[in-house]
Amino acid sequence: MELSAEYLREKLQRDLEAEHVEVEDTTPKRCASSFRVLVVSAKFRGKPLLQRHRLVNTCLAEELLHIHAFEQKTLTPEQWGRELQK
Amino acid sequence: MSGSLSRAAAALLRWGRGAGGGGLRGPGVRTAGSGRGGGSSAEQLDALVKKDKVVVFLKGTPEQPQCGFSNAVVQILRLHGVRNYAAYNVLDDPQLRQGIKDYSNWPTIPQVYLNGEFVGGCDILLQMHQNGDLVEELKKLGIRSALLDEKKDQDSK
């Protein structure tokens, strides 16, 4: 089972039609396989945080079975635009 | 809380693990005595998350979190002055650890429930804390966030 940051990034980008995805392999900082992801997608518009995170969880359902720790940040394109301006 | 009280609580935690709930665990924090065995069916978990207004499932305890994310949840609640919450240590009970993930259809611990409803994990709680949503959600539960009082002090200076 391929669990590279690159693999996760492509899958998230594809399944969530994301306009921007960042995946950081945080395994070195923790005791086991862990990742931190940032996903920017129009699919998150109008959805509360929990629903957004569930979309990501569903996309990576298989992979999460093998990941020990997972952090995620989910933004709409508008929110991402504001972040970049900070 | 005086230093000797927290030392006593920490000692109890070391000796009392799995010995059942209750006892000195800190200000108003309770721990599930799921040592009754199999305390992790959907019905039991449903009752558990509805028993208290604020329920969290952690790795470790509020006094001794065993994971950075669980610790973050504990610290956020502390910042808001939430004292009376139920904290369940999944490290004590593998059935609970898996059961709660199945129940909420959420792959990780910690898990936060407000008013019987799953809110999310550490990421979501942190974002709610940062954007003011947590203060609002607590208010709906009749819990006044300590941060509101801090703000009031600042405004009146």
Side-chain angles (χ1 to χ4, degrees), chain A residues 2-67:
Chain A
E2 168 102 55
L3 257 193
S4 69
E6 186 53 40
Y7 172 78
L8 295 179
R9 193 181 319 124
E10 278 178 12
K11 193 164 195 213
L12 286 166
Q13 192 132 39
R14 202 174 51 237
D15 292 0
L16 295 175
E17 293 166 32
E19 77 176 39
H20 183 76
V21 179
E22 286 174 20
V23 176
E24 185 193 339
D25 186 340
T26 54
T27 306
K29 292 187 210 159
R30 313 233 178 251
C31 52
S33 172
S34 4
F35 291 90
R36 176 189 296 141
V37 310
L38 162 68
V39 185
V40 181
S41 166
K43 288 197 165 189
F44 295 146
R45 277 192 196 123
K47 292 195 170 67
L49 276 180
L50 184 58
Q51 254 188 317
R52 299 183 187 190
H53 285 224
R54 285 202 188 280
L55 279 177
V56 173
N57 288 355
T58 305
C59 167
L60 297 180
E62 257 296 305
E63 292 74 16
L64 279 168
L65 293 174
H66 305 276
I67 294 175

Side-chain angles (χ1 to χ4, degrees), chain B residues 71-87:
Chain B
N71 183 41
V73 165
V74 170
Q75 297 314 321
I76 291 172
L77 291 176
R78 199 172 57 84
L79 275 175
H80 286 265
V82 181
R83 294 182 183 285
N84 279 310
Y85 63 95

Side-chain angles (χ1 to χ4, degrees), chain B:
Chain B
M1 191 159 76
S2 73
S4 62
L5 190 57
S6 54
R7 273 199 296 281
L12 261 176
L13 278 171
R14 277 197 294 277
W15 300 330
R17 255 218 285 172
L24 264 179
R25 301 274 180 174
V29 169
R30 270 152 296 109
T31 318
S34 50
R36 256 169 278 129
S40 57
S41 74
E43 293 81 25
Q44 281 164 313
L45 290 174
D46 196 65
L48 213 59
V49 306
K50 293 187 159 96
K51 210 163 67 150
D52 299 277
K53 285 183 183 174
V54 181
V55 178
V56 300
F57 294 85
L58 305 171
K59 287 187 180 174
T61 66
E63 290 77 20
Q64 283 186 331
Q66 300 290 318
C67 141
F69 302 131
S70 289
N71 183 41
V73 165
V74 170
Q75 297 314 321
I76 291 172
L77 291 176
R78 199 172 57 84
L79 275 175
H80 286 265
V82 181
R83 294 182 183 285
N84 279 310
Y85 63 95
Y88 300 101
N89 183 356
V90 305
L91 296 179
D92 270 349
D93 186 344
Q95 279 185 306
L96 177 65
R97 187 172 177 173
Q98 187 54 48
I100 197 64
K101 290 179 191 173
D102 295 336
Y103 174 78
S104 57
N105 190 22
W106 187 262
T108 49
I109 306 289
Q111 296 193 5
V112 179
Y113 292 76
L114 295 180
N115 209 25
E117 224 178 272
F118 179 56
V119 162
C122 162
D123 287 342
I124 291 181
L125 197 71
L126 183 59
Q127 284 176 66
M128 286 174 68
H129 162 65
Q130 288 169 336
N131 66 17
D133 282 351
L134 185 55
V135 172
E136 286 309 307
E137 291 303 311
L138 289 174
K139 195 191 282 188
K140 288 184 200 167
L141 297 178
I143 300 174
R144 182 181 167 82
S145 167
L147 294 183
L148 286 172
D149 297 323
E150 257 180 42
K151 193 174 184 304
K152 237 171 48 174
D153 290 339
Q154 285 172 359
D155 286 343
S156 63
K157 275 190 190 138

